[in-house]
Amino acid sequence: MWNPMCSLPLGVRQSGAHKLWGVLGCRLYSQSSVKPPKIPIQNSSATLRPQAEKQRRKLKREKAILAKDVENEKVKWTQKEKIIYSASTTPGDKKDTSVPLPQAYSPEFVESCWYQWWEKEGFFTPEHHGKLPHAVNRTFSLCIPPPNVTGSLHLGHALTVAIEDTLSRWRRMQGYKVLWVPGCDHAGIATQSVVERSLLRKHGKHRQEYSREEFLQEVWNWKNDKGVEIYEQLRKLGASLDWTRACFTMDPSFSSAVTEAFVRLSDSGLIYRSEALVNWSCALESTISDIEVDSKQLTGRTLLSVPGYERQVEFGSIVTFAYPVEGQEAELCVSTTRPETMLGDVAVAVHPDDPRYTELHGKQCRHPFTDRLLPIIPDPSVDMQFGTGAVKVTPAHDHADFLLGQRHDLPRLTVIGGDGLMTALCGNWLEGVKRFDARVRVLEALMEKKLFRGSKEHPMALPICSRSGDVIEPLLKRQWFVRCDEMAKKAIQAVDEGQLEIQPHLYTKTWKNWLSNISDWCISRQLWWGHQIPAYRVSLPHPSTQEDELWVWGRSQAEALECAAAKFGVTQSEISLTQDTDVLDTWFSSALFPFAMLGWPQKTPDLEQFYPNSILETGSDLIFFWVARMVMLGTELTGQLPFKQVLLHSLIRDKYGRKMSKSLGNVIDPLDVIHGITLKRLQEKVTEGNLDPRESAVAMEAQRKDFPQGIPECGTDALRFALCSYRTQGEDVSMSVSHVLSCRHFCNKMWQTVRFTLGVLQHSNEPITALDQISPVSCMDRWICSRMLSTVRKCNEGFHSYELHAVTAALHSFWLHNLCDVYLECVKPVLSPQATENIGGRVHAGIVSEMERHVARSLLYHFVCISLTLLNPIMPFITEELWQRLQLYSPEAIDHATSLCVQPYPQSSQLINWDFPQEEADFELAQEVIRVARSLRAQCHMTKEKPQLWVVCTPAQAQTLLPFSAPIETLGRISGLHFHCPPQEGAVALSTSAPPPPEGCAVGVVDHTCHLHLDVQQHVAVDRQMASLLERKGRSLRKLEQLISRTAMPGFLEKVPELVRLDMEQRISALKQELKNIEAQILALEQMKQSKQ
């Protein structure tokens, strides 16, 4: 049985299968369990609805991709020139920054050489901490979620690396002793499958044709040849990992830790051996874990390819057949999606209150093929409303039936073997037949016996092995299990008492719910590659008649032999031991990573210094499979929680809302975003995967629509900045390559800013003033200093709260909207060699002094250096490249061998004298004036002209704007600025108030008391301006009518708050004034037109 819709109308199926198989949503506990989960009884229709909704959303997304008439937002870009760093630099040596800086940003030029130098200098090791002048006596440690040795990184990995590396680099710059350990998982099933396919392709030999030792040597050969690729990809992403401590889960030291953990847990009774239903892949002939089970949604009859079958197999239909009732002329009809399992039926269940079957309670049915008598059992878990209300019971091949069989003490008959062939219990006619071929034979035999009652389409979710593509078979197997109850209670308690913090906090409830309903964890895997279970089956000279297996365990066979002799009271010479051939679940070894990577069980200096880890950062989808198991085993084996905080980031989805998955073909390799890739190569990657034809077609069409030119070269820094800019705590990330491309444009903006800064510095022999000695002179200097201080505060606050999107937003805003768009444009005239003359207009209200120019030059240097330092944890390559080139002008002595990545992270306390809130508040009005002035220029279609501007305002507003006259002129592109303050009763008149503006000006509204008059009479095209004004008049009239109609509504004065009423009154007043101004401008234009005639 696959899910609630796949078999009989048993209430348990409608709820329990959903949980046990985990194919319809979140997998809430280990499916390979012994302890029965807590399963509520509910109606089958309740699970049909979410499955149907999920399928509906999936089809809607596919329709959006395949629609021919829908124009998607494409990634638009032009090919940029690739600039290559050509200087002769030995790998590991520092990059030559005396090479001229290219005119444009090029990722390939920037990212060359730096990482090798960082790694060689040991900047990423905790040992370098002692060399830092700003070192503090605090540690920060974490482990990377170990990627599979077989895999290549995807954007989910890239998001993890971007977040963890940013946090590690930030703490390192704060002076912490940082240890971020790289690791790689041996990935038992995945690696064995890859090597098996490789051997079959190269040598035409299957695994079974090798001895275990020979095959394992082939795996090690493959790992040594290919296994380093994942580490190189991490280096490409700029991950500041301590490679001297790289950890592979099959390393001898780690393997010893795994053995030690198994022995200790077994000694304490937390590991035991039992028989239970497990997820079984017949193709792999192994149990597999929940995370390796994919759910394939079927809407009805579907033909699918299954490993080992030449023809496709039909799924998505439900069959009804009859069981004859013994001793009566009656029959009992049951339904199933797996008719081949009926050979293992041992009972039929009905609801005790179902009146249709009351007389059959205690009766029996005759099995048509085995001649077995099947008792008719009343059980309250049966759903009377689903199907016939009668349920076939197959305890050895169905999770829900297994639980029902336990309640009624039913036998368990295994009719499908681990190889997928029918067993001898089925009879000669089916023994040795493949399970899905047997399905056809059973249906034919039922028809011959006239017991077949029909077949119809049936929506279902089919569990598929993600490694082999095989259909999962529930089989009864003796396996090793971890007892989880007590450990789970401790994990819940740790969160409740605040010892363990989970962020975002919304996952706390999920944590409690899952651990409260946890089942025991099957850790046996029938593989060759992995940690062979250190348990030994004992053979005694005079075995007892009991059928129970005798097992012992030990750190070595000698220890196990000694244990067996003591346990069974015989000499060691009388005992024969056979080690279990199974290996441990990969997740078992991964759960030990936080302490095994530090040398546990030995009391190493690393373990004493860096355990518990400071934080665990990973994807939210691993909260149960990895995080919970680390917490349980870490607490049990070390007596301490493995980490103090858990930071969970969201899943990455494509632009259509689909989870990025290999099975959908929508996975994006981060290296393709970094280096760029053609559409042709993207499509080839899809065809190389083993995708369903429809999924392949959808994936390739999405690529054609989204990336018609392929993916441009964006670089590592742009990708990291884009990933960190998403709000990753809570909502899923809808990844957009267009966003990454815009981050590359941001990189180029940084590049051009530093090029300009270097040009300014090169034209002066005067040294830069030190940061603690510089004092801003002009109002713009004070404004930008205050903005810099605010940005430093926001960055530190963002890092402390792990809200990296707030950090990226603050830095992006400062660099683009404060530094480049405003300050640089204002300061260019000051820094110009001609600034000592009064060129064409006022510059800072007159001639610029050398002191002003020097202060501006020094401030620009410090703004750029501080901004690069703030950005370094997120964008390590470009910031290092640019910072190193600026150090030639540093007022402080800088060690040539140092790196930006080990410089102190800027703190607001260093810039406390840069707090100018009044200038920040005042400049907001100036910026509004600049915005409206630009808008007027655009409306009048003025590009090169620089007209005069009159600001008609209150004296108080004029006093605020006067100090910013030069910035308003520069940024507003005007040649003269005049302030006119109409007389107001009780107001102090402005001594420098200009005459009123001339007639015929274009008028713009800043607020109800401040209007701008742009003298356009000499520059405007009358007809075009008249049309523009008439259009504005229509828009303003509509807005005014809407506001007036709202104020005329009944009860407006009584129901609307006073502040809202005042705001609306001001808006009405401003619109009326604007309409009055527009009418005046139209009149003036008409007069101009008449005068020209």
Side-chain angles (χ1 to χ4, degrees):
M1 182 199 72
W2 310 129
N3 65 16
M5 288 69 69
C6 299
S7 189
L8 311 177
L10 182 60
V12 172
R13 289 181 172 80
Q14 280 77 64
S15 55
H18 179 120
K19 294 183 177 181
L20 284 162
W21 286 95
V23 294
L24 297 182
C26 296
R27 302 182 179 97
L28 298 181
Y29 54 83
S30 171
Q31 62 198 31
S32 306
S33 62
V34 173
K35 173 191 167 185
K38 300 174 184 178
I39 303 173
I41 298 173
Q42 63 184 44
N43 191 281
S44 60
S45 60
T47 27
L48 283 167
R49 283 192 294 271
Q51 182 182 344
E53 176 62 20
K54 183 176 181 180
Q55 184 67 16
R56 186 192 65 79
R57 289 197 303 267
K58 179 176 184 288
L59 292 175
K60 183 179 179 182
R61 289 165 180 160
E62 289 182 355
K63 185 178 179 181
I65 295 171
L66 296 172
K68 300 295 184 184
D69 56 340
V70 177
E71 185 66 24
N72 281 10
E73 179 187 348
K74 300 175 182 178
V75 178
K76 299 176 181 178
W77 57 282
T78 55
Q79 189 69 46
K80 303 292 184 183
E81 178 188 2
K82 282 193 176 185
I83 304 170
I84 299 173
Y85 174 76
S86 57
S88 178
T89 302
T90 304
D93 287 353
K94 187 176 180 181
K95 189 174 183 178
D96 183 3
T97 52
S98 66
V99 174
L101 201 64
Q103 289 191 342
Y105 167 70
S106 175
E108 190 167 341
F109 177 90
V110 169
E111 293 168 18
S112 61
C113 301
W114 287 121
Y115 196 94
Q116 295 93 322
W117 177 61
W118 294 331
E119 189 176 340
K120 182 182 178 183
E121 291 296 317
F123 294 137
F124 304 155
T125 65
E127 287 74 20
H128 192 269
H129 175 262
K131 302 177 183 179
L132 300 180
H134 59 287
V136 295
N137 188 27
R138 299 189 67 177
T139 62
F140 181 77
S141 59
L142 73 164
C143 63
I144 193 171
N148 289 350
V149 69
T150 58
S152 58
L153 297 182
H154 51 67
L155 282 178
H157 290 120
L159 177 60
T160 301
V161 171
I163 294 172
E164 293 185 9
D165 188 47
T166 296
L167 294 176
S168 298
R169 287 176 178 271
W170 169 61
R171 286 300 192 191
R172 195 177 289 118
M173 295 174 79
Q174 282 194 312
Y176 283 54
K177 182 181 284 189
V178 174
L179 177 61
W180 186 25
V181 178
C184 198
D185 193 279
H186 64 277
I189 292 176
T191 305
Q192 181 163 311
S193 299
V194 167
V195 175
E196 283 193 59
R197 288 196 296 270
S198 175
L199 292 175
L200 187 61
R201 184 175 61 253
K202 291 180 180 178
H203 307 296
K205 296 175 70 175
H206 292 85
R207 169 172 58 94
Q208 291 78 5
E209 298 177 64
Y210 295 85
S211 68
R212 183 169 186 152
E213 291 71 23
E214 290 172 339
F215 179 78
L216 290 178
Q217 186 57 55
E218 292 288 344
V219 179
W220 276 109
N221 292 341
W222 180 91
K223 186 268 174 187
N224 294 332
D225 183 39
K226 302 287 186 182
V228 296
E229 292 179 5
I230 203 80
Y231 285 168
E232 291 307 311
Q233 289 175 312
L234 290 170
R235 288 181 168 95
K236 282 284 185 183
L237 286 170
S240 60
L241 293 151
D242 181 0
W243 295 105
T244 64
R245 290 172 167 86
C247 184
F248 179 50
T249 52
M250 287 293 287
D251 286 340
S253 59
F254 203 103
S255 296
S256 297
V258 173
T259 299
E260 181 69 25
F262 184 92
V263 170
R264 290 193 187 185
L265 293 172
S266 299
D267 286 344
S268 60
L270 290 175
I271 288 182
Y272 64 95
R273 188 172 175 83
S274 181
E275 185 179 53
L277 277 179
V278 297
N279 294 337
W280 188 267
S281 168
C282 297
L284 298 173
E285 295 192 39
S286 174
T287 308
I288 64 170
S289 66
D290 295 5
I291 202 169
E292 289 156 335
V293 178
D294 291 335
S295 171
K296 189 170 188 66
Q297 301 291 334
L298 306 180
T299 56
R301 286 192 176 93
T302 307
L303 292 175
L304 298 176
S305 298
V306 178
Y309 292 81
E310 293 182 4
R311 296 183 178 180
Q312 291 184 313
V313 180
E314 181 185 292
F315 298 93
S317 59
I318 189 166
V319 172
T320 302
F321 66 91
Y323 273 127
V325 178
E326 183 72 5
Q328 295 185 22
E329 292 295 324
E331 63 181 28
L332 198 53
C333 292
V334 295
S335 301
T336 179
T337 57
R338 302 165 65 204
E340 68 277 10
T341 63
M342 62 90 66
L343 278 301
D345 286 356
V346 295
V348 177
V350 297
H351 196 282
D353 300 330
D354 193 333
R356 294 171 293 178
Y357 305 119
T358 304
E359 294 182 359
L360 295 179
H361 293 181
K363 304 294 184 182
Q364 295 175 313
C365 293
R366 176 71 66 176
H367 199 290
F369 304 129
T370 65
D371 210 34
R372 265 194 320 272
L373 288 174
L374 312 180
I376 300 172
I377 300 170
D379 192 284
S381 63
V382 177
D383 182 358
M384 293 185 287
Q385 306 304 318
F386 185 76
T388 65
V391 176
K392 64 186 281 297
V393 182
T394 320
H397 294 281
D398 184 286
H399 286 282
D401 292 357
F402 181 82
L403 301 178
L404 192 149
Q406 283 184 324
R407 291 196 294 273
H408 296 277
D409 197 24
L410 298 175
R412 304 162 186 167
L413 304 180
T414 298
V415 294
I416 301 175
D419 53 5
L421 303 180
M422 306 305 286
T423 66
L425 289 175
C426 301
N428 294 333
W429 68 295
L430 284 181
E431 183 180 1
V433 176
K434 294 179 181 178
R435 53 183 169 151
F436 297 128
D437 291 341
R439 175 178 295 183
V440 177
R441 294 195 187 186
V442 167
L443 291 176
E444 291 174 348
L446 287 170
M447 291 177 187
E448 287 180 10
K449 291 182 176 288
K450 297 183 179 180
L451 296 174
F452 182 77
R453 296 294 177 263
S455 172
K456 63 180 180 179
E457 289 195 291
H458 188 70
M460 61 186 294
L462 194 67
I464 303 291
C465 173
S466 63
R467 303 302 181 187
S468 64
D470 192 17
V471 177
I472 296 299
E473 193 69 46
L475 290 186
L476 201 59
K477 294 285 182 180
R478 281 196 168 274
Q479 309 277 270
W480 294 96
F481 292 87
V482 175
R483 207 181 306 275
C484 296
D485 274 2
E486 292 303 316
M487 291 192 291
K489 289 178 184 177
K490 294 178 183 177
I492 294 172
Q493 184 181 1
V495 172
D496 287 342
E497 296 179 354
Q499 301 168 32
L500 177 65
E501 181 185 7
I502 299 177
Q503 292 189 24
H505 296 299
L506 62 93
Y507 287 105
T508 301
K509 184 177 180 181
T510 311
W511 177 269
K512 291 179 183 178
N513 288 343
W514 184 76
L515 287 171
S516 297
N517 293 279
I518 196 170
S519 294
D520 292 349
W521 169 22
C522 174
I523 55 174
S524 297
R525 297 293 180 267
Q526 290 65 45
L527 306 170
W528 284 357
W529 172 247
H531 299 105
Q532 191 170 353
I533 296 176
Y536 301 81
R537 188 167 183 174
V538 180
S539 297
L540 298 174
H542 304 291
S544 65
T545 57
Q546 296 179 350
E547 296 182 1
D548 290 345
E549 301 172 341
L550 303 178
W551 291 87
V552 292
W553 44 85
R555 296 167 183 83
S556 63
Q557 185 166 350
E559 182 179 287
L561 187 62
E562 183 179 344
C563 176
K567 183 175 182 179
F568 300 112
V570 295
T571 63
Q572 293 185 16
S573 60
E574 296 178 276
I575 297 173
S576 175
L577 296 182
T578 305
Q579 187 172 0
D580 193 338
T581 57
D582 290 353
V583 300
L584 289 165
D585 179 12
T586 301
W587 290 104
F588 184 85
S589 52
S590 296
L592 311 179
F593 210 85
F595 46 97
M597 70 178 187
L598 300 174
W600 183 90
Q602 306 302 318
K603 293 184 178 180
T604 64
D606 277 359
L607 187 67
E608 292 180 1
Q609 192 170 14
F610 297 109
Y611 188 80
N613 297 171
S614 305
I615 193 172
L616 186 281
E617 197 287 329
T618 190
S620 57
D621 55 334
L622 294 182
I623 186 171
F624 306 128
F625 299 110
W626 193 41
V627 181
R629 288 167 175 173
M630 282 190 287
V631 169
M632 290 192 295
L633 294 192
T635 305
E636 185 64 33
L637 293 169
T638 70
Q640 294 177 282
L641 288 166
F643 27 75
K644 303 160 189 173
Q645 287 181 303
V646 176
L647 181 61
L648 300 170
H649 65 249
S650 306
L651 300 180
I652 289 189
R653 297 185 180 275
D654 64 14
K655 62 184 291 185
Y656 304 100
R658 303 180 303 163
K659 179 181 176 181
M660 287 195 173
S661 166
K662 290 180 181 178
S663 62
L664 294 177
N666 62 345
V667 170
I668 297 178
D669 186 335
L671 298 186
D672 291 341
V673 180
I674 292 171
H675 301 304
I677 188 173
T678 64
L679 174 62
K680 180 182 178 182
R681 181 61 191 132
L682 280 172
Q683 306 255 281
E684 287 173 354
K685 286 190 173 186
V686 173
T687 58
E688 289 167 4
N690 186 26
L691 288 185
D692 177 87
R694 176 175 173 80
E695 299 290 6
S696 180
V698 171
M700 295 177 75
E701 182 60 26
Q703 289 177 341
R704 279 190 288 269
K705 285 187 173 182
D706 298 342
F707 314 118
Q709 300 172 264
I711 297 176
E713 178 194 31
C714 295
T716 300
D717 290 312
L719 175 61
R720 287 170 58 118
F721 191 85
L723 290 169
C724 290
S725 68
Y726 289 104
R727 185 185 291 271
T728 58
Q729 296 185 37
E731 299 178 0
D732 286 348
V733 174
S734 182
M735 184 64 189
S736 165
V737 174
S738 296
H739 179 48
V740 185
L741 186 58
S742 72
C743 293
R744 175 186 165 139
H745 297 156
F746 175 55
C747 290
N748 191 58
K749 195 74 171 180
M750 294 167 56
W751 191 265
Q752 300 306 331
T753 304
V754 175
R755 285 187 71 240
F756 172 79
T757 305
L758 289 171
V760 169
L761 297 173
Q762 288 165 4
H763 287 94
S764 175
N765 296 322
E766 195 171 355
I768 296 297
T769 303
L771 184 64
D772 58 353
Q773 298 174 9
I774 195 168
S775 296
V777 176
S778 69
C779 59
M780 285 308 297
D781 290 343
R782 289 191 291 275
W783 173 78
I784 191 67
C785 285
S786 199
R787 294 303 306 140
M788 183 82 264
L789 172 61
S790 176
T791 302
V792 171
R793 284 173 175 161
K794 288 178 181 178
C795 288
N796 281 284
E797 289 168 3
F799 270 119
H800 280 288
S801 61
Y802 302 127
E803 293 181 338
L804 300 186
H805 65 279
V807 180
T808 58
L811 288 166
H812 186 269
S813 177
F814 174 79
W815 199 293
L816 286 187
H817 306 309
N818 299 156
L819 184 60
C820 294
D821 291 352
V822 176
Y823 185 72
L824 274 185
E825 294 303 315
C826 291
V827 86
K828 280 178 182 177
V830 179
L831 296 172
S832 168
Q834 293 81 28
T836 51
E837 304 173 12
N838 193 1
I839 51 170
R842 297 197 310 267
V843 177
H844 280 254
I847 298 174
V848 178
S849 68
E850 277 298 329
M851 184 189 72
E852 286 180 288
R853 184 192 293 178
H854 174 69
V855 168
R857 187 188 306 114
S858 296
L859 283 174
L860 178 59
Y861 169 84
H862 288 300
F863 294 148
V864 173
C865 284
I866 292 171
S867 299
L868 290 173
T869 309
L870 290 170
L871 273 164
N872 180 255
I874 302 172
M875 308 174 85
F877 291 102
I878 187 173
T879 53
E880 184 79 71
E881 178 80 32
L882 298 177
W883 182 84
Q884 290 286 353
R885 292 173 182 271
L886 287 165
Q887 293 319 294
L888 180 64
Y889 307 97
S890 173
E892 303 170 358
I894 298 292
D895 182 5
H896 171 74
T898 195
S899 166
L900 177 57
C901 70
V902 289
Q903 296 304 302
Y905 198 76
Q907 301 296 317
S908 58
S909 57
Q910 300 171 263
L911 310 176
I912 198 65
N913 294 328
W914 283 11
D915 192 10
F916 301 104
Q918 191 59 54
E919 274 76 1
E920 283 202 68
D922 290 349
F923 191 59
E924 289 180 7
L925 178 59
Q927 284 183 299
E928 272 300 294
V929 169
I930 293 165
R931 182 188 65 79
V932 175
R934 285 178 168 178
S935 176
L936 286 174
R937 287 172 52 84
Q939 290 168 18
C940 297
H941 308 284
M942 302 173 69
T943 54
K944 298 180 180 179
E945 301 89 346
K946 290 188 175 182
Q948 299 279 317
L949 179 69
W950 274 261
V951 181
V952 180
C953 60
T954 65
Q957 288 174 319
Q959 291 289 359
T960 299
L961 292 171
L962 270 171
F964 297 102
S965 296
I968 292 173
E969 287 187 24
T970 301
L971 299 173
R973 292 184 61 79
I974 57 178
S975 59
L977 181 63
H978 312 279
F979 292 97
H980 173 68
C981 301
Q984 292 181 348
E985 187 177 346
V988 179
L990 184 69
S991 59
T992 58
S993 179
E999 297 292 330
C1001 289
V1003 182
V1005 178
V1006 175
D1007 61 30
H1008 67 287
T1009 60
C1010 182
H1011 302 156
L1012 304 187
H1013 295 252
L1014 194 69
D1015 186 5
V1016 298
Q1017 296 188 48
Q1018 306 301 319
H1019 311 287
V1020 70
V1022 176
D1023 291 339
R1024 184 188 292 181
Q1025 179 64 6
M1026 183 74 78
S1028 177
L1029 285 170
L1030 289 171
E1031 186 180 345
R1032 281 178 60 197
K1033 179 181 177 180
R1035 287 199 303 268
S1036 298
L1037 275 171
R1038 287 192 294 272
K1039 289 181 182 177
L1040 181 60
E1041 289 169 359
Q1042 289 174 358
L1043 287 174
I1044 292 175
S1045 65
R1046 288 172 62 184
T1047 60
M1049 293 175 64
F1052 176 79
L1053 292 175
E1054 295 79 13
K1055 296 179 181 179
V1056 178
E1058 183 180 0
L1059 286 175
V1060 177
R1061 292 201 311 271
L1062 289 173
D1063 178 64
M1064 291 183 70
E1065 289 170 5
Q1066 289 180 356
R1067 288 162 64 188
I1068 289 172
S1069 174
L1071 281 169
K1072 287 180 177 178
Q1073 183 62 49
E1074 183 177 356
L1075 284 166
K1076 183 179 178 181
N1077 293 334
I1078 291 173
E1079 290 288 358
Q1081 293 175 64
I1082 291 173
L1083 181 61
L1085 287 173
E1086 288 174 346
Q1087 292 173 352
M1088 287 172 58
K1089 191 172 183 180
Q1090 290 174 1
S1091 65
K1092 290 180 180 179
Q1093 292 174 351

